Structures are given as structure tokens and as C-alpha cells.
Amino acid sequence: MSEYTYPILFGLAAGTLTRIYMLRTDYRQYPTYLHGKIIHVALGFIAAGLGTVAIPSIMEEEFTAITFLTLAASQFREVRNMERNTLTELDSYEMVPRGKTYIEGVAIAFESRNYLVIFTSLLSTLGYLVFNIWGGLAAAILAVLISKKLMSGGRLKEIVEVEFVEPRFDGAGLYVDNIYIMNIGLPERQEEVLRYGMGFILKPKNFNARSTIANLGQRQAILHDVSTALGVYRDSGTPALVPLAKRDLDDGRVGVFVLPQEKNINKAIKIIEAVPTLENAIRMPTERQTNGKGS
């Protein structure tokens, strides 16, 4: 066998196992089990193969083989398009949709994790060839730790404080604390809302957080995650029972109103705190550098 056989097999295994490690199906049930996982594990295997052959190609001065990595970039870009199109189609059938911002974040994550697989397999093969199998194993562990760090984004609990507030009516207006949510005139609907409804106030910890939770996509992600984990008390054609999130224009707080089937306050707070901070929703106005001043 070639001297590169074992290093290539080692890098292939390290990359594929890394993709399996990063592939998780949680309460949102995506990717689906079993076929959705098979697709992404297969793509991870292909990504690992591309990464692991790069080092032997360079050592053999077969530099044209590196062009496969540029081909891989265009192919994995299609992974993002595939996920975006799939989730967009499914979103129209959700009781509480994810929203386009959430979908784009998921699509980016699926694409980027294939690049992390290429990085892991490449580093593992390099460690094996330069040192030995123990060097390859150390490189693989290091790459997995880096991948774990890069795959874990921020959570809402890092930028907001979540507080439960009982929703109330002032006439026909539904309020969470002093934040107006919507108008419900039917007494029967008001009774249902008060019986099943839950209200939460999100207090931003700084000015950047205020701008981030003002994003409509970020607010929709909160509603979707809570409704997915705790269920939702509504059906199609019942606009009065739609979960909503509105903000206080004075201080930037966000009032969240949901109608879960399981009314568990502590569990709902933990779910809201664990909602990912969407990359496309993050705003940092305080980081803006003002190079000039007005007259």
C-alpha cells in the first residue's frame, strides 16, 4: 500500500466523525431523522475526503489537485441553497414560522460545518504525516475543539434578562406589562388568552442588545422556539391566538406573548434564554467609529 494510505484513512475518519459530532437533532427536529442526517453525513464524508487528500497532493507536488478545494467551495454553497429552499418551503406550513432570518442562519451553519470538516481532516492528515499517528490524533483533537468553539454561537441569555409577566387586558387591548401586543374584542377569545397565555419581558443588558432584539427575525426566532418546545394553542384561521413580540419604543424592552399548550414558566424562560442570537440580527451601533464631527 502507499505510504499515504493510513494518513488518508485517518484524516477521512477524523473528518467524518467530526461532522457526525456536529450533527445534532434537538427539539426542533431538524435535520430530520433518519434521511436528513444521511444526507449531511454523506456530504461530511465527501468534505473529509477533499481535505485529507490535499496534504499528500502538495507533498507529491500535484498542485492541480488543490483545485478540487475550490470546486468544493462551490458545491457546499449549494448546501446552503438546499437548506434555505427546503426550510422556506416548510416554513409556510408551520403554526409559528421560523422566519427568513432564522432560516438563513441555519443554512449558513450547514455550509460552514462542511468547511470545518475539511479543516479537521486536513490538519489530522498533516499531523500524521509530519509526526506519527499520535501527532495526527493530537491534531484531530485540537481541530475538534476549534470546531466545537466555532459552531457554538451566542445565546439570548448573554444579552438580555428574561422576566415572566402575566398578560392582561385594558379594554380590548392585550398588554404584557405596559407593552401593547394586539387588540382582541371577543370576550371568548380574551378568556382563552388569559387562560393559556404567557407573557415575558426581555430587558437588554446594553445598547447593542437593544438593537439586536429589535430585529424582527430575532423576535420571530424566539416565538418559534418557544412554540416548538412547549406547543402552541392555536390552529389555522385563528389570528387572535397568534404569538407576538412587540417592543417598548422608549427603553427597547421586548414583550413576548405566547400561547403554549404546556404552561411551564421556568421551562419557557430557559427556552427563551437558549434561543440562538442570529448572526444576521446582531447589531453593534456602539462599535461605530466617528471619524469626523459636524460643524
Side-chain angles (χ1 to χ4, degrees), residues 206-209 211-212 215 278-286:
N206 52 53
F207 191 78
N208 290 335
S211 300
T212 300
N215 183 277
L278 305 182
E279 290 185 31
N280 298 324
I282 294 174
R283 300 290 181 270
M284 294 187 178
T286 59

Side-chain angles (χ1 to χ4, degrees), residues 8 15 39 72 76 86 90 124-125 133 171 183 194 207 262 266 278:
I8 287 176
I39 292 172
F76 292 134
T86 300
L90 295 176
S124 302
T125 306
I133 188 171
N183 189 288
L194 293 177
F207 191 78
E262 180 185 350
N266 293 328
L278 305 182

Side-chain angles (χ1 to χ4, degrees), residues 34 51 53-54 74 88 119 139 154 174 179 189 204 207 217 237 283:
L34 173 66
V53 299
S74 63
T88 300
F119 168 74
L174 175 63
I179 301 175
R189 282 285 181 252
F207 191 78
R283 300 290 181 270

Side-chain angles (χ1 to χ4, degrees), residues 115-137:
Y115 300 135
L116 291 175
V117 169
I118 293 176
F119 168 74
T120 300
S121 57
L122 189 149
L123 199 64
S124 302
T125 306
L126 179 63
Y128 195 119
L129 288 170
V130 173
F131 301 103
N132 50 35
I133 188 171
W134 300 111
L137 192 60

